[in-house]
Amino acid sequence: MIKNLALPVILLVLTLGFWASSDFQEIAAGIAIFLFGMLMIEDGFKLFSGGILEKMLEKATGSVAKSLSFGVISTTIMQSSSLVSVITISFLSAGLISLIAGVGIIFGANIGTTTGAWLVAGFGLKVKISAYALPMLAIAIVLVFQRNKYLRGAGFALAGLGFLFLGIHHMKEGFEAFKDQFDLSRFAMTGVVGLIVYILIGTATTVVMQSSHATMVLIITALAASQISYENALALAIGANIGTTITAIIGSLTANFQGKRLALAHLIFNSVTAGIALIFIGQIRLAVDWISAGVGISDTDFALKLAVFHTIFNVLGVAVMLPMLNALIRFLEHAIAEPAMDLSKPLYLSEAVDEFPPTIEAALRKEVKHLYDNAVELITHGLNLHRHELFETRDIAALVRSSRTAVEFDIDERYEQRIKTLYSAIIEFATRAGSKNLPQDVMENIYALRDVAGQIVRAVKAVKHLRRNATAFTTHPQGVITDTYNDLRTEIARILVEIHKLNLADPEDRSSLWLDQELIQVASDQQNAGRRIESLIRDQSLDAAAATSYLNDSSYAYSAMRNLIQAARSFHVETESAMAEVERILALDEDDINDIVGEETSSSEHGYSP
């Protein structure tokens, strides 16, 4: 309802303002150009995905100090605490950083956002920055049309900075001209009532513009033109800090429980900071005067004194909240409890991770691993085995022979709940990612992960077909047919164990070349299975009905093995490493495997060793 009313109200105000004053048009245009510049900077930094920014963020989990520093530095560079908040929620939702690291980044972002006020008050109002904006835009347009995504990203960022400068220039000029026609300072209010009213105005303005940085620029340019009083400007700055939380709240609506916790932390921190600034505003003003005098800021330079005020109360807020960080984390975990894990639902795929390529790929990789874990449970139970026993045993064949009791569960129902639902979510997520104009290398990885999910699903479906006869022929000894089915169960189980070892290995120590040997072995075993069954039939060790069942089921079993091996190979090969490139070159494709198996078969038929 509020959102539906906001648009017509804003349009009505703009229309009345345009009709009333041409100078108001320049102020409104300055705000629009400034906000457009911020959007371009955001788009520019998104093109740097997979680069320095994301790698720094992933490493900003080692300590609170690192998280805090990252928040300060990244917000200073990007000049947008809102963007940093959304990025942090995205990374947190994808499971790439911890909650305490995310909260530390938010704390740092509030300090980093104060640099914008210093930039405008110390540089933007004292220099004709429009002169810098034009060459920036000229250079930026050249970079934007380059093929290299990093050059394009730099072009967008530079263009955004140019538009920021232009927006500040037009706001400044608009307010200077506007004061000759209409004196907004007549609406100045003093005392507690003035504080509260202007805090609410600052909050509402930031909610509408979705940027505390834009609000602060508007406040500083209006203050420099004497259109608002210094006292009311301080209240507006406090309100802007409260209003900026709305971006994090909106960003968290599609996030998981961790993203919602971070948005709540942001709201609590900014509200507490605003409360401190409101309660101690007299003392903070004295501190501003003392610091300003110490660094040579004139008593009448209210724009720079506002920047000092903005910095003091944000730093003060961090100083107050930082010792209570662990208590805050406990409160967040209690207030927004982690939902009971439902293995049938996606754990990492949400719209909150859609904005940034690194989180899209990381979230999808984690979800494919979740699908695989569910698949391993179904496959082992489908073979009447248990995962914990399988992964702990030293003799897989002996474990299989001794596992003669059927695991009671509905494999079709479990498949629908644990496999099909997740696979559908993965397909939908990958399709959604494909519509976002992501870098080619990211899309290739996303489609590769989607294909891995398909191979996992095919492996489960193959075991579904195999389960009935595998249970019927192995729950009690029936001679040769029991041994042959136990051999199939053992081979599938052995591959699961090897993939489990690969999952546990350090990324630097992983090598997928052994998987090629497994694929060769599977292809060879499948060819030998037919000849073995023919021999057993001739010896009358196996009747035709049982032999037919085995041949059909062995086809399912070997299909499951191939899909599991291929999925593991695709999932674990790190495409960015040099060793992975060597392995990719050395890796065998299906024709190579068939040629090798054919040569081995031919050699064995002629009595030669391979």
Side-chain angles (χ1 to χ4, degrees):
M1 174 108 183
I2 294 174
K3 282 182 89 173
N4 293 338
L5 288 173
L7 180 60
V9 169
I10 293 169
L11 292 176
L12 178 61
V13 170
L14 287 174
T15 303
L16 291 174
F18 295 156
W19 177 77
S21 170
S22 60
D23 296 316
F24 178 81
Q25 295 177 26
E26 184 159 17
I27 296 171
I31 296 170
I33 292 169
F34 185 90
L35 291 173
F36 180 70
M38 292 195 70
L39 290 175
M40 291 202 73
I41 289 176
E42 290 183 13
D43 289 340
F45 277 107
K46 286 178 184 178
L47 285 174
F48 280 92
S49 295
I52 296 173
L53 178 64
E54 288 76 17
K55 290 176 182 177
M56 284 175 61
L57 183 50
E58 288 184 52
K59 292 178 180 178
T61 58
S63 67
V64 174
K66 288 182 179 179
S67 302
L68 195 67
S69 299
F70 177 84
V72 174
I73 294 169
S74 59
T75 308
T76 299
I77 292 171
M78 292 187 285
Q79 286 297 294
S80 174
S81 62
S82 297
L83 176 59
V84 173
S85 299
V86 171
I87 292 174
T88 306
I89 287 174
S90 183
F91 271 67
L92 183 61
S93 297
L96 294 176
I97 61 173
S98 64
L99 178 60
I100 194 168
V103 174
I105 291 169
I106 293 299
F107 284 7
N110 276 268
I111 296 175
T113 195
T114 64
T115 59
W118 284 101
L119 177 66
V120 177
F123 177 69
L125 298 180
K126 295 176 169 53
V127 177
K128 188 178 180 181
I129 56 175
S130 58
Y132 294 92
L134 298 180
M136 282 181 178
L137 293 173
I139 296 171
I141 200 65
V142 175
L143 297 176
V144 165
F145 284 102
Q146 301 305 305
R147 294 176 61 87
N148 184 286
K149 70 172 184 177
Y150 298 113
L151 288 177
R152 283 189 289 119
F156 277 114
L158 186 61
L161 190 59
F163 282 120
L164 290 187
F165 283 6
L166 272 183
I168 293 169
H169 168 75
H170 285 291
M171 279 188 270
K172 175 186 171 185
E173 294 295 315
F175 274 117
E176 288 287 346
F178 191 67
K179 69 180 181 182
D180 296 332
Q181 302 178 26
F182 196 80
D183 186 9
L184 290 176
S185 63
R186 290 185 303 162
F187 297 98
M189 300 175 69
T190 59
V192 176
V193 174
L195 275 175
I196 294 173
V197 169
Y198 275 86
I199 284 173
L200 292 175
I201 293 173
T203 301
T205 304
T206 306
V207 168
V208 170
M209 293 198 291
Q210 294 281 292
S211 170
S212 63
H213 192 47
T215 303
M216 285 301 299
V217 171
L218 188 61
I219 295 167
I220 291 170
T221 50
L223 180 61
S226 301
Q227 286 288 287
I228 56 175
S229 69
Y230 175 54
E231 182 179 344
N232 291 159
L234 300 183
L236 287 169
I238 296 171
N241 254 42
I242 299 173
T244 193
T245 60
I246 195 65
T247 305
I249 292 171
I250 292 172
S252 73
L253 294 179
T254 56
N256 62 11
F257 68 98
Q258 289 282 56
K260 290 178 172 60
R261 286 173 175 174
L262 187 63
L264 178 58
H266 196 188
L267 178 61
I268 291 171
F269 172 78
N270 282 38
S271 299
V272 169
T273 302
I276 292 171
L278 183 60
I279 294 169
F280 298 101
I281 191 165
Q283 291 84 343
I284 296 175
R285 285 188 66 172
L286 290 174
V288 169
D289 292 339
W290 180 74
I291 292 172
S292 298
V295 297
I297 296 174
S298 168
D299 284 342
T300 57
D301 194 344
F302 294 116
L304 273 178
K305 290 176 76 172
L306 178 61
V308 175
F309 174 83
H310 193 222
T311 302
I312 288 175
F313 88 77
N314 274 287
V315 172
L316 187 61
V318 172
V320 169
M321 293 296 295
L322 206 54
M324 298 187 290
L325 182 57
N326 290 326
L328 175 62
I329 297 298
R330 288 194 296 271
F331 170 77
L332 295 172
E333 291 173 345
H334 176 73
I336 302 177
E338 181 177 356
M341 184 176 289
D342 186 348
L343 296 178
S344 65
K345 294 181 179 179
L347 299 179
Y348 305 98
L349 306 185
S350 67
E351 293 182 14
V353 303
D354 278 10
E355 292 298 320
F356 304 98
T359 54
I360 291 175
E361 186 179 339
L364 185 58
R365 177 170 289 276
K366 285 175 175 286
E367 204 62 63
V368 170
K369 180 61 168 60
H370 175 206
L371 174 67
Y372 178 76
D373 291 339
N374 284 0
V376 171
E377 181 186 31
L378 260 69
I379 291 171
T380 51
H381 286 180
L383 299 175
N384 297 322
L385 301 169
H386 294 281
R387 281 182 297 180
H388 66 279
E389 294 177 349
L390 177 60
F391 294 151
E392 291 172 4
T393 187
R394 293 186 177 182
D395 191 338
I396 298 173
L399 175 66
V400 168
R401 287 194 300 270
S402 65
S403 299
R404 295 196 295 268
T405 303
V407 176
E408 295 298 334
F409 78 113
D410 188 332
I411 192 170
D412 292 311
E413 180 183 355
R414 195 71 62 83
Y415 170 80
E416 292 290 328
Q417 293 177 344
R418 300 279 183 89
I419 302 298
K420 189 174 179 179
T421 304
L422 278 186
Y423 183 53
S424 298
I426 288 170
I427 293 297
E428 180 186 355
F429 185 81
T431 302
R432 199 162 72 229
S435 66
K436 293 185 175 297
N437 194 29
L438 298 175
Q440 184 178 353
D441 57 334
V442 173
M443 282 312 309
E444 287 175 356
N445 291 340
I446 287 171
Y447 289 143
L449 288 169
R450 179 198 60 187
D451 293 343
V452 168
Q455 290 164 339
I456 292 169
V457 171
R458 287 192 290 275
V460 175
K461 291 173 76 172
V463 172
K464 273 180 58 185
H465 292 300
L466 171 66
R467 172 173 168 76
R468 185 173 66 85
N469 285 336
T471 300
F473 288 120
T474 61
T475 49
H476 58 276
Q478 299 176 48
V480 173
I481 191 63
T482 298
D483 294 337
T484 54
Y485 271 93
N486 278 340
D487 288 343
L488 287 180
R489 293 167 67 206
T490 300
E491 282 305 299
I492 297 174
R494 187 180 63 79
I495 287 172
L496 290 176
V497 169
E498 292 301 323
I499 294 174
H500 179 66
K501 291 177 182 177
L502 192 66
N503 289 337
L504 296 178
D506 290 333
E508 300 82 18
D509 298 332
R510 285 181 187 143
S511 172
S512 62
L513 292 178
W514 69 269
L515 294 170
D516 285 336
Q517 297 302 316
E518 292 293 339
L519 284 173
I520 294 171
Q521 188 62 48
V522 167
S524 178
D525 289 346
Q526 187 169 12
Q527 288 191 7
N528 292 334
R531 290 192 292 271
R532 182 186 174 197
I533 293 301
E534 289 175 4
S535 176
L536 291 171
I537 293 173
R538 284 196 300 269
D539 295 343
Q540 297 184 344
S541 301
L542 200 63
D543 61 66
T548 302
S549 295
Y550 173 80
L551 288 174
N552 288 334
D553 290 333
S554 66
S555 177
Y556 292 130
Y558 290 121
S559 173
M561 294 179 213
R562 279 194 300 272
N563 278 298
L564 287 170
I565 293 169
Q566 289 166 349
R569 182 166 67 172
S570 298
F571 187 81
H572 285 299
V573 171
E574 299 291 341
T575 55
E576 65 269 19
S577 69
M579 181 56 71
E581 181 65 16
V582 173
E583 292 186 0
R584 185 187 64 78
I585 295 170
L586 295 178
L588 303 175
D589 59 24
E590 191 172 346
D591 291 337
D592 293 331
I593 292 169
N594 291 335
D595 289 343
I596 292 172
V597 172
E599 290 173 6
E600 291 179 351
T601 303
S602 176
S603 298
S604 61
E605 288 174 352
H606 290 86
Y608 302 122
S609 57

